[in-house]
Amino acid sequence: MLLSLTACDFGVFPEADTTFGTQNFISAISIIELHKVRNGTYPESLEELEFLGQWDSIWLGAVRYEKTDSGYNLFIERGWVNEPNLEFPVKFKQGLGIQQTNVQWVEQPQI
C-alpha cells in the first residue's frame, strides 16, 4: 500500500486541495470564534484552544493564525497537499473577527 501511495501524484487532484482547504479554514474559524464566545477574547495563539478533537490536528497544521488588536488574521496554507485557492461568499465573514486572509471574498462564489 505504501508503494502505491508513493507512486501517486497528489498534485493532479487540485479539487482535493480545495475540499480539504475549505474544511480546514471553516474548522479553524469555528473553533477560534467559539474560543471568543467562551472567553471574551480571541486566543493569543492556536495553542490556547481547548476541547479539540483528534481530527483537529489536521487543520491546526494547515492554517496560520495571527491575533490582532481587534480580531485575527487567518491564512490557509495547505489543503490536501498544496495551498488551495479558496473563494467564500462575502456574507460568510459577517460577524467574524477575521481581518486579513488569503481567501478571496466574492459576491457570488463559484461552485
Side-chain angles (χ1 to χ4, degrees):
M1 172 131 162
L2 182 59
L3 182 57
S4 64
L5 285 176
T6 57
C8 292
D9 180 6
F10 290 111
V12 299
F13 299 110
E15 63 273 3
D17 280 324
T18 300
T19 299
F20 279 83
T22 298
Q23 186 62 53
N24 293 339
F25 190 72
I26 291 171
S27 295
I29 287 175
S30 298
I31 300 296
I32 292 165
E33 294 291 338
L34 179 60
H35 183 278
K36 179 161 192 296
V37 168
R38 288 181 170 161
N39 299 287
T41 61
Y42 290 108
E44 292 295 325
S45 71
L46 295 178
E47 287 77 31
E48 280 188 29
L49 299 174
E50 300 177 294
F51 311 111
L52 298 176
Q54 290 179 315
W55 292 86
D56 290 322
S57 63
I58 295 170
W59 66 259
L60 280 167
V63 299
R64 181 169 43 94
Y65 170 84
E66 303 164 349
K67 184 176 188 243
T68 65
D69 290 338
S70 58
Y72 61 95
N73 301 327
L74 187 67
F75 302 93
I76 185 73
E77 296 188 328
R78 192 178 69 250
W80 174 250
V81 174
N82 299 304
E83 181 180 322
N85 294 316
L86 301 182
E87 292 184 350
F88 278 81
V90 172
K91 188 175 180 178
F92 180 87
K93 68 178 180 173
Q94 181 180 347
L96 301 178
I98 194 165
Q99 296 175 325
Q100 293 182 9
T101 184
N102 55 349
V103 167
Q104 298 298 310
W105 302 111
V106 295
E107 290 299 325
Q108 184 64 33
Q110 296 177 356
I111 298 177

